[in-house]
């Protein structure tokens, strides 16, 4: 099985030669100490049988054996971790104490003189329990990563060690029979008369200190478990699971002891309850070992779920059986025991099936979320999505629903449009599920529940169903947003068209009012004056002025018409108009190379005007600003698109220089027709203007105006 090292296992440790030697000796010593503990425990059990001990007298050896095995497992693989050596120390001390105590009891009390050195071996049992207890008390302090929760725990650790040392010294000299080993104890051969009160006081102080530190460390672990994440959370779950089982067994033993009609807290002489108590206590070191070495060995959440259901069912069935037997037995005589028991068993059996289903659903809801009820998740997702209209709300609602339903550590929805929404801390490698609705619309990124390494098959099946519905919702909102964006663009285009139309009308009105209007009014007045004067020199002069003003009016009209549409396009096509413009250009400008086809397909008037004006503006920019030697002008039609390119070998544009009016006008003309105008330039490398326009069809935007004049 693959071993998964925790963060604490990967922590840096010293690597100097002396440290490596000590770790090597520690690894080699772990299993011999464990084997010695097991042999001592076996000897203690055999001697206890000879001493007529009960099962309850030796059930604590389950804890001793598991401490030894778990301690050796941890110490051999991670010798720097103190918990392994604490568990080994505790197990070895208690095993040696039990073996020595049972040996001395048999050789001095049960069968005096039957065993050699019995008196000498009566001494270790008086003080070995102290380091065993102290080591057990310190295990929660160093769980799970081998370090105390904070430096403030150091005085507590020293308190355990100091009081333990005092208890060991005084206990070694305590007079009288030892009470640590059952059923009988031997007298301490080194006991000092009158020393018992001092020894008992020191033993009480050491026991109280160890108990307080043990409980405080356990409470600190429980408090930290509320905020623990990842591996640490799983490790704490293992310990909490074992402690909960042990507490449950203790509670059951208490109930059995109170109801058996005998004195004492626990049932006296019950082999079953004695074994249950010993085994339940042994589960705690086993859980500690699994948490440190193999916390992923089993699905702890599944174990908790199944155990909770089993305990609840057992309690319910047992309670039902007792209740039915009590109620029915009160109305029948003793001869009806069999029918009453049969009815009670039948009632308990009828209760089991629905109760088990109900309990399992409730426990799974707490542990796994709503993975067992996909319909409820889908229904809630649908109800929440009905109340959302924009993309951000859909993403937030879907993300929260998925995380809430399965209690995942991380959920993110990312769309192909760049929208995203996330909850939780992203794992190193999140699970990625596609979102699609006829086409890919995004991804659903997921992190498993805290402490788990991946998602199970049932979660993935539900998440794939959710992904399909989320994909449809995201696609619908994307379509709605796209429609709203297009509507907004259309509205802006309409506003720009209205503004452009009004600006053009204002310009025409200003030109007509300020230019052509006064000229025509002056012509009228001079004509009337000439009519009144009749033939003569004055009349001739007025007629000459009228001719000049008429020519000025004609020029103004021609200028206005030319402003609406280049006149060259009224007498020739776009290609010829561009050639004519280049041919009539200034002789001192750069050389212009024209590459246009001999004949172009029919173009719309708007496309012709836009291409002509953009080309003229690009050529003017090259003449005025580029200081170019050669300018290339190329025009071609491909796949229903009109392409125009003007490229020069001039100085190029300076980086960061803002666009002028000409650049803006070229882009606006292209974008008005659904095309594009891209200007690229590098310092010293020239400038290139690339334009793409829809060709349209001839006459789609109205008849061309005639030439004025």
């Amino acid at each position: 099985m693959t071993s998964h090292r925790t963060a604490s296992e990967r922590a840096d440790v010293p690597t100097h030669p002396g440290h490596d030697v000590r770790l090597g000796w520690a690894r080699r010593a772990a299993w011999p100490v464990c084997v010695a503990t097991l042999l001592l425990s076996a000897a203690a059990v055999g001697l206890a049988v000879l001493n007529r001990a009960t099962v309850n007298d030796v059930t604590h050896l389950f804890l001793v054996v598991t401490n030894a095995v778990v301690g050796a497992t941890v110490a051999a693989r991670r010798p720097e971790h103190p918990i392994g050596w604490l568990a080994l120390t505790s197990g070895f001390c208690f095993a040696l104490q039990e073996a020595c105590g049972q040996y001395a009891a048999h050789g001095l009390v049960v069968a005096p003189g039957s065993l050699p050195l019995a008196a000498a071996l009566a001494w270790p049992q008086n003080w070995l329990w102290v380091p065993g207890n102290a080591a057990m008390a310190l295990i929660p302090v160093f769980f799970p990563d081998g370090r105390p929760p904070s430096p403030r725990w150091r005085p507590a650790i020293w308190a355990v060690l100091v009081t333990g040392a005092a208890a060991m010294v005084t206990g070694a000299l305590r007079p009288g029979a030892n009470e640590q080993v059952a059923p009988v104890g031997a007298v301490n051969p080194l006991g000092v008369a009158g020393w018992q009160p001092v020894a008992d006081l020191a033993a009480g102080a050491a026991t109280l200190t160890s108990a307080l530190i043990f409980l405080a460390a356990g409470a600190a672990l429980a408090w930290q478990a509320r905020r623990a994440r990842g591996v640490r959370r799983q490790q704490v779950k293992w310990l909490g699971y074992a402690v909960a089982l042990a507490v449950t067994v203790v509670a059951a033993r208490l109930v059995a002891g109170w109801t058996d009609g005998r004195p004492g807290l626990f049932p006296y002489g019950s082999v079953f309850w004695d074994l249950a108590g010993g085994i339940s206590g042994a589960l705690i070191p086993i859980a500690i070992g699994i948490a440190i070495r193999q916390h992923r060995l089993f699905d702890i959440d599944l174990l908790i779920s199944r155990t909770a259901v089993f305990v609840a069912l057992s309690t319910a069935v047992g309670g039902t059986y007792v209740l039915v037997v009590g109620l029915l037995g009160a109305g029948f005589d003793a001869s009806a025991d069999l029918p009453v028991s049969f009815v009670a068993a039948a009632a308990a059996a009828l209760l089991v099936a629905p109760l088990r289903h109900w309990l399992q659903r409730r426990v799974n809801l707490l542990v796994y979320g709503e993975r067992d009820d996909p319909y409820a998740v889908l229904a809630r997702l649908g109800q929440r999505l009905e109340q959302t209209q924009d993309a951000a709300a859909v993403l937030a609602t879907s993300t929260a629903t998925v995380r809430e339903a399965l209690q995942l550590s991380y959920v993110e929805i990312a769309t192909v449009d760049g929208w995203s929404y996330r909850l939780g801390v992203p794992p190193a490698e999140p699970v990625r599920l596609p979102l699609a609705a006829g086409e890919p619309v995004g991804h659903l990124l997921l992190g498993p529940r805290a402490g788990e390494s991946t998602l199970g098959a049932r979660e993935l099946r539900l998440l794939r169903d959710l992904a399909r519905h989320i994909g449809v919702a995201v696609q619908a909102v994307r379509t709605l947003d796209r429609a709203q964006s297009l509507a907004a663009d259309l509205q802006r285009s309409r506003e720009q068209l209205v503004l452009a139309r009004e600006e053009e009308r204002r310009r025409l009105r200003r030109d007509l009012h300020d230019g052509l209007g006064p000229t025509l009014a002056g012509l009228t007045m001079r004509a009337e004056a000439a009519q009144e004067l009749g033939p003569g020199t004055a009349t001739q002069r007025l007629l000459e002025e009228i001719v000049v003003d008429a020519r000025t009016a004609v020029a103004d009209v021609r200028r206005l018409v030319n402003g609406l549409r280049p006149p060259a396009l009224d007498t020739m096509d776009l290609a010829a108009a561009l050639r004519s413009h280049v041919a009539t250009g200034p002789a001192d400008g750069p050389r212009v190379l024209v590459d246009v086809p001999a004949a172009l397909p029919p173009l719309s008037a708007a496309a012709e005007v836009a291409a002509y004006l953009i080309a003229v503006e690009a050529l003017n920019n090259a003449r005025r600003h580029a200081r170019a030697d050669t300018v290339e002008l190329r025009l071609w039609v491909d796949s229903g698109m009109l392409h125009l390119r003007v490229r020069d070998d001039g100085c190029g544009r300076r980086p960061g220089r803002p666009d002028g009016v000409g650049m803006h006008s070229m882009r606006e003309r292209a974008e008005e027709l659904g095309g594009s105008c891209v200007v690229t330039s590098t310092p010293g490398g020239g400038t290139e203007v690339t334009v793409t326009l829809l060709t349209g069809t001839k006459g789609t935007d109205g008849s061309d105006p005639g030439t004025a004049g």
Side-chain angles (χ1 to χ4, degrees):
M1 178 177 296
T2 303
S3 175
H4 301 274
R5 301 188 68 192
T6 64
S8 61
E9 292 178 76
R10 295 188 298 267
D12 294 334
V13 294
T15 57
H16 53 80
H19 184 269
D20 292 340
V21 171
R22 288 195 297 272
L23 291 184
W25 277 103
R27 287 191 178 95
R28 288 190 288 271
W31 283 110
V33 173
C34 174
V35 171
T37 303
L38 297 180
L39 293 176
L40 289 171
S41 299
V45 171
L47 291 168
V49 172
L50 295 177
N51 294 340
R52 301 181 183 87
T54 64
V55 174
N56 187 50
D57 293 330
V58 294
T59 52
H60 63 280
L61 290 177
F62 283 111
L63 179 61
V64 172
V65 170
T66 53
N67 267 339
V69 175
V70 170
T73 302
V74 175
R77 297 296 298 275
R78 297 185 58 197
E80 79 284 354
H81 202 301
I83 284 184
W85 295 107
L86 289 173
L88 266 178
T89 300
S90 177
F92 180 78
C93 290
F94 280 122
L96 182 59
Q97 170 193 287
E98 191 72 20
C100 291
Q102 295 291 352
Y103 186 93
H106 188 79
L108 297 177
V109 180
V110 177
S114 60
L115 296 175
L117 302 176
L121 293 181
W123 178 68
Q125 63 176 335
N126 293 277
W127 53 270
L128 277 174
W129 63 272
V130 178
N133 271 353
M136 284 285 292
L138 292 177
I139 286 178
V141 177
F142 293 95
F143 182 84
D145 52 14
R147 295 188 299 270
S150 70
R152 290 177 295 180
W153 282 86
R154 291 175 182 171
I157 297 173
W158 278 107
V160 172
L161 297 178
V162 171
T163 57
M168 286 178 63
V169 173
T170 57
L173 302 177
R174 184 183 184 277
N178 181 264
E179 301 173 355
Q180 298 294 328
V181 179
V184 294
V187 176
N188 184 4
L190 300 181
V192 177
W195 192 254
Q196 181 174 349
V198 177
D200 290 345
L201 179 62
T207 302
L208 180 62
T209 302
S210 297
L212 290 176
I213 298 303
F214 184 86
L215 294 175
L221 278 175
W223 176 258
Q224 292 174 2
R226 299 171 63 251
R227 297 176 295 176
R229 295 291 183 270
V231 171
R232 188 178 183 90
R233 184 178 182 87
Q234 291 297 94
Q235 292 174 320
V236 174
K237 278 185 179 181
W238 274 105
L239 181 58
Y241 174 69
V243 171
L245 285 180
V247 171
T248 302
V249 173
V250 171
R253 291 183 70 197
L254 287 174
V255 172
W258 294 339
T259 58
D260 64 355
R262 298 178 181 179
L265 292 177
F266 298 107
Y268 179 77
S270 172
V271 176
F272 171 78
W273 286 115
D274 290 344
L275 290 175
I279 294 174
S280 65
L283 291 177
I284 295 178
I286 293 175
I288 290 175
I290 293 175
I292 294 175
R293 289 293 309 130
Q294 294 286 349
H295 64 276
R296 293 190 181 95
L297 182 62
F298 303 106
D299 186 350
I300 182 60
D301 290 329
L302 182 61
L303 286 176
I304 294 174
S305 169
R306 295 293 185 263
T307 304
V309 173
F310 174 78
V311 172
L313 280 177
S314 300
T315 303
V317 171
T320 302
Y321 184 86
V322 171
L323 180 63
V324 173
V325 169
L327 292 177
L328 296 181
F332 297 90
D333 54 23
S335 61
D337 285 347
L338 182 59
V340 168
S341 299
F342 178 79
V343 173
L350 290 175
L351 178 67
V352 167
L355 180 61
R356 178 190 176 281
H357 181 69
W358 184 85
L359 282 173
Q360 191 67 67
R361 289 188 60 186
R362 293 299 179 272
V363 172
N364 285 350
L365 184 63
L366 292 174
V367 177
Y368 297 108
E370 295 178 296
R371 72 173 188 182
D372 294 332
D373 193 1
Y375 174 77
V377 180
L378 293 173
R380 183 164 65 255
L381 177 63
Q383 292 173 356
R384 292 180 177 179
L385 290 178
E386 287 178 356
Q387 304 172 5
T388 60
Q389 295 296 329
D390 59 280
V394 167
L395 298 185
T397 299
S398 302
T399 302
T401 302
V402 172
R403 193 183 190 206
E404 172 189 323
L406 295 178
Q407 299 182 358
L408 301 178
S409 62
Y410 177 72
V411 178
E412 178 184 358
I413 297 177
T415 70
V416 295
D417 297 332
W419 291 84
S420 66
Y421 192 87
R422 66 182 65 180
L423 290 174
V425 180
E429 296 182 359
V431 178
R432 181 183 295 264
L433 297 179
L435 300 177
E439 62 177 353
V441 297
H443 285 90
L444 181 62
L445 305 177
L446 307 158
R449 282 181 292 272
E452 296 184 0
S453 58
T454 186
L455 295 173
R458 300 176 69 180
E459 286 90 348
L460 289 175
R461 189 161 50 247
L462 173 57
L463 287 168
R464 289 190 182 97
D465 291 338
L466 290 174
R468 285 195 291 270
H469 290 78
I470 294 173
V472 173
V474 171
Q475 176 68 347
V477 174
R478 288 178 68 238
T479 303
L480 177 60
D481 283 352
R482 191 180 298 116
Q484 292 175 344
S485 177
L486 291 175
D489 291 342
L490 179 59
Q491 180 63 29
R492 285 193 296 271
S493 299
R494 288 175 175 173
E495 293 174 357
Q496 291 175 356
L497 287 174
V498 170
L499 291 175
R501 182 189 64 192
E502 294 303 320
E503 287 296 329
E504 188 65 18
R505 286 179 174 178
R506 179 186 300 174
R507 184 182 68 82
L508 290 174
R509 182 182 182 280
R510 183 174 60 250
D511 290 344
L512 292 174
H513 181 273
D514 298 341
L516 188 58
T519 300
L520 294 177
L523 286 173
T524 303
M525 294 175 62
R526 288 187 178 88
E528 291 175 350
Q531 185 178 10
E532 292 176 357
L533 290 175
T537 304
T539 301
Q540 185 65 31
R541 187 171 57 255
L542 286 176
L543 291 176
E544 291 175 355
E545 292 177 358
I546 290 173
V547 171
V548 173
D549 289 344
R551 290 174 178 171
T552 301
V554 170
D556 288 341
V557 171
R558 183 176 289 110
R559 179 177 54 81
L560 291 174
V561 172
N562 292 344
L564 297 175
R565 176 178 169 84
L569 296 177
D570 293 331
T571 57
M572 59 187 74
D573 62 6
L574 176 60
L578 290 175
R579 290 194 191 94
S580 175
H581 176 78
V582 171
T584 58
D588 58 348
R591 185 166 60 99
V592 180
L593 304 179
V594 180
D595 181 9
V596 297
L600 290 172
L603 302 175
S604 66
E608 286 183 334
V609 171
Y612 181 84
L613 294 178
I614 291 174
V616 170
E617 181 65 30
L619 290 172
N620 290 337
N621 287 338
R623 291 189 181 112
R624 296 170 185 167
H625 311 296
R627 298 194 297 274
D629 295 327
T630 304
V631 180
E632 299 178 3
L633 187 152
R634 186 185 176 200
L635 185 71
W636 74 98
V637 176
D638 182 23
S639 301
M641 303 296 292
L642 176 63
H643 301 275
L644 171 67
R645 185 172 66 200
V646 179
R647 180 167 56 192
D648 64 65
D649 58 358
C651 60
R653 303 179 64 200
R654 294 194 305 272
R657 180 180 179 181
D659 292 339
V661 177
M663 291 289 186
H664 285 297
S665 66
M666 287 192 296
R667 290 194 179 96
E668 289 177 357
R669 291 183 188 280
E671 291 172 358
E672 285 174 356
L673 299 181
S676 64
C677 177
V678 179
V679 180
T680 58
S681 179
T682 55
T687 302
E688 179 177 305
V689 178
T690 304
V691 180
T692 302
L693 301 171
L694 292 172
T695 58
T697 57
K698 194 77 171 179
T700 56
D701 46 7
S703 58
D704 296 341
T707 303

